[in-house]
Amino acid sequence: MIADIVIAGAGPNGLMLACELSLAGIRPLVLERLPERTQENRANGLVGQVVRMLDRRGLYERLTGHEDPPRPAPGFVFGALPIDLSVLDDNPLYLLQVPQRRIEQMLEERAVELAVEIRRGHELTGLTQSADGVTLQASGPAGPYSIETRYLIGADGGHSIVRKLAGIAFPGVTTDAMIARTAHAVVPAELVDPATGGLDIPGYGPVPPFLHHRTERGLFVYAPLPGAPAPLISTMEWNGHDAEGPLTLAELQASARRVLGVTIAFGPPAGPGPHMSRKLNGGNTRLAERFRDGRVLLVGDAAHVHSAIGGPGLNLGLQDAVNLGWKLAAEVRGTAPAGLLDTYESERRPVAERVVMSSRAQSALIAPGSEVTGLRALFAELLGDPRNVGRIADLMSGADVRYEMGCDHPLAGRWAPDLDLEGGVRLAELTRDGRSHLIDFTGGDWGHPATAGLSGSDVPCTALLLRPDGYVAWATDAPQPDAESRASLKAAMQRWPA
């Protein structure tokens, strides 16, 4: 069999990449080891720029069930410290509470709409690269077979077979000092504060909902997620207390007692489920030595793993997929300039490095001990300054990402601001085709087809070129098209093809 692109892994990142490639006219083949979608809920929502990215592909309303655009969150947490985002004039942090299994379901439905072939129960077992492509060995229900492909993408998670077969090192650190326990569990009704939706625990005090709550002995989370069979209860402890076998409610209750110093009676969730009950010992922080080896590329957890604190995983991985999709499609079509595909690693690896830095910093802030309590008190003071809140919000959302575009306009390389265009069309509606767009606020002739933008005091420039991944490739403040601005636009369009 011959395929232009094979994606190993039908999780959110692999499916998102498949959709992006299909929008660009390339139909990939997706191989997934599992025979059906997992019912395990590995994440409970989306945090950051990815929420707006889904909106710009028309996928946000599929998850929410309504057409309203996303709104920034009024608050969040950093290292279990509350952040008041209402102090920001331009809040970049967006949240969407939705189970990962629903995200995977939605992305698979969209991929099927776009004629993507997904083979479940098919596992990659070997690969051999040449200058022109990759020969894959795979195994499915009917037995082993081979595939010839131009490119192979590893979207197969932290234990990536693709990464291992390609010989890409995965350096980092592993710690076994931490135990995290998470389960759906019912709490006594009298503990629920109707005003806040959190808990008011006798002998301890209030515990707000959804936020990491740190004590000097560990971490506790109470998350009454909408539509869940029961609230999600989570604890994190250091230095032992691990019981043999799967997690039980008794073990979770004992852990909560050690963290909070009081006993909460947990009951089993009602209904058929699926019910979460998971225990994780230790953790990994690792970053692939390179994101590309010849015709093999890595996205998502195959390229980077880190603490889940702050919820950065899907924000990072899904945007890897969106960054790679249009570049890889241009390479396959033969329209990519030299070096375009290399910019996937040069752009996304530094972003992964920042996420690793952020997750390590937050892990330090939730650790037990009086010294950490002192550090947290100082950090809380710093978060009283809106400027620091803005920097943290930019870091957690990914709004501080700026790529090198070869254009010195302040907008170039940044995520395009939300704009209302002519005819009442939102920018997010314009970009659902996954293509580049030239947006003109002058009504002039740029020598290329352009979408008209509304003029006004809030217009950030006179014209801009938007890459398929939502970042500004070029912008100008020239009042009208002139020889210099037209030449710079032409260079940008050649460097960043649609």
Side-chain angles (χ1 to χ4, degrees):
M1 178 184 177
I2 299 176
D4 281 328
I5 298 171
V6 172
I7 300 171
N13 301 317
L15 292 171
M16 188 72 189
L17 177 59
C19 292
E20 290 295 296
L21 288 166
S22 295
L23 286 175
I26 305 297
R27 300 291 185 270
L29 170 63
V30 180
L31 304 181
E32 170 53 52
R33 176 180 58 84
L34 297 176
E36 57 186 27
R37 283 196 309 272
T38 179
Q39 292 300 304
E40 181 182 359
N41 206 31
R42 298 173 182 171
N44 294 292
L46 299 169
V47 180
Q49 296 286 84
V50 68
V51 177
R52 289 199 281 179
M53 186 68 248
L54 292 179
D55 182 41
R56 292 186 179 181
R57 290 295 187 263
L59 303 176
Y60 176 80
E61 64 185 61
R62 292 183 180 224
L63 291 173
T64 61
H66 60 73
E67 297 181 357
D68 295 338
R71 304 294 182 193
F76 199 51
V77 287
F78 182 84
L81 289 165
I83 307 173
D84 180 9
L85 298 171
S86 67
V87 302
L88 301 179
D89 293 331
D90 185 15
N91 178 4
L93 194 58
Y94 289 71
L95 308 177
L96 177 59
Q97 290 181 349
V98 58
Q100 179 170 326
R101 62 178 181 273
R102 171 61 188 132
I103 297 171
E104 290 189 15
Q105 177 188 14
M106 180 275 294
L107 289 173
E108 182 170 334
E109 291 169 353
R110 178 57 173 154
V112 170
E113 288 175 8
L114 293 169
V116 173
E117 181 183 356
I118 302 172
R119 295 183 183 177
R120 292 195 172 273
H122 291 247
E123 184 173 8
L124 183 69
T125 58
L127 68 86
T128 304
Q129 285 205 65
S130 69
D132 301 320
V134 188
T135 301
L136 307 179
Q137 302 303 318
S139 179
Y145 61 98
S146 63
I147 306 173
E148 299 290 331
T149 184
R150 296 178 66 180
Y151 289 94
L152 169 65
I153 312 303
D156 49 345
H159 299 288
S160 171
I161 295 298
V162 172
R163 186 187 65 240
K164 294 173 183 177
L165 290 173
I168 300 175
F170 204 35
V173 296
T174 298
T175 176
D176 58 2
M178 175 270 291
I179 302 174
R181 301 174 175 89
T182 304
H184 284 119
V186 175
V187 300
E190 61 270 19
L191 299 187
V192 179
D193 184 343
T196 66
L199 301 179
D200 191 357
I201 304 172
Y204 182 80
V207 173
F210 303 112
L211 306 181
H212 294 95
H213 187 78
R214 184 255 181 195
T215 75
E216 290 194 1
R217 299 172 296 278
L219 205 67
F220 179 83
V221 180
Y222 170 73
L225 294 165
L232 206 61
I233 307 295
S234 184
T235 67
M236 187 180 295
E237 294 183 86
W238 287 257
N239 302 319
H241 298 295
D242 187 18
E244 294 291 333
L247 176 66
T248 65
L249 287 183
E251 182 184 348
L252 181 64
Q253 181 172 299
S255 176
R257 182 170 59 248
R258 288 189 295 268
V259 171
L260 298 175
V262 297
T263 298
I264 305 175
F266 296 142
H275 300 146
M276 176 176 282
S277 182
R278 185 174 64 184
K279 178 167 52 178
L280 297 177
N281 290 273
N284 285 288
T285 300
R286 297 186 177 276
L287 186 61
E289 189 173 65
R290 56 193 183 278
F291 285 14
R292 180 186 180 188
D293 182 77
R295 290 177 174 266
V296 177
L297 297 102
L298 306 176
V299 298
D301 289 354
H304 38 68
V305 295
H306 44 77
S307 168
I309 189 167
L314 286 175
N315 188 32
L316 182 60
L318 290 174
Q319 295 213 73
D320 285 350
V322 174
N323 184 285
L324 176 59
W326 64 278
K327 297 174 181 177
L328 189 57
E331 192 75 24
V332 170
R333 292 196 309 264
T335 60
L340 178 66
L341 194 53
D342 290 331
T343 66
Y344 167 63
E345 178 168 349
S346 65
E347 290 184 346
R348 295 307 297 169
R349 199 173 190 280
V351 179
E353 289 172 347
R354 285 190 64 76
V355 169
V356 167
M357 176 272 289
S358 172
S359 64
R360 282 175 167 168
Q362 292 185 74
S363 295
L365 284 167
I366 64 172
S370 59
E371 296 89 349
V372 175
T373 300
L375 176 62
R376 290 172 59 82
L378 173 59
F379 212 90
E381 288 186 15
L382 296 175
L383 288 175
D385 186 331
R387 293 171 297 180
N388 293 331
V389 171
R391 293 195 64 174
I392 292 294
D394 284 346
L395 172 65
M396 298 190 77
S397 67
D400 60 351
V401 172
R402 183 172 187 180
Y403 300 139
E404 175 53 53
M405 296 293 182
C407 173
D408 59 4
H409 192 278
L411 275 180
R414 297 191 179 279
W415 176 260
D418 291 325
L419 299 167
D420 290 323
L421 307 176
E422 196 170 68
V425 175
R426 292 193 302 124
L427 182 66
E429 297 172 278
L430 180 69
T431 57
R432 293 180 180 181
D433 59 4
R435 303 288 183 175
S436 295
H437 289 276
L438 176 61
I439 302 174
D440 171 28
F441 297 97
T442 69
D445 179 12
W446 290 97
H448 301 277
T451 298
L454 298 179
S455 59
S457 60
D458 59 345
V459 172
C461 55
T462 53
L464 63 84
L465 177 65
L466 189 65
R467 295 196 327 186
D469 58 0
Y471 284 81
V472 177
W474 168 90
T476 182
D477 292 326
Q480 287 291 324
D482 54 24
E484 181 179 356
S485 58
R486 285 195 184 95
S488 65
L489 171 60
K490 182 178 180 180
M493 297 184 80
Q494 290 173 341
R495 184 178 184 185
W496 309 110

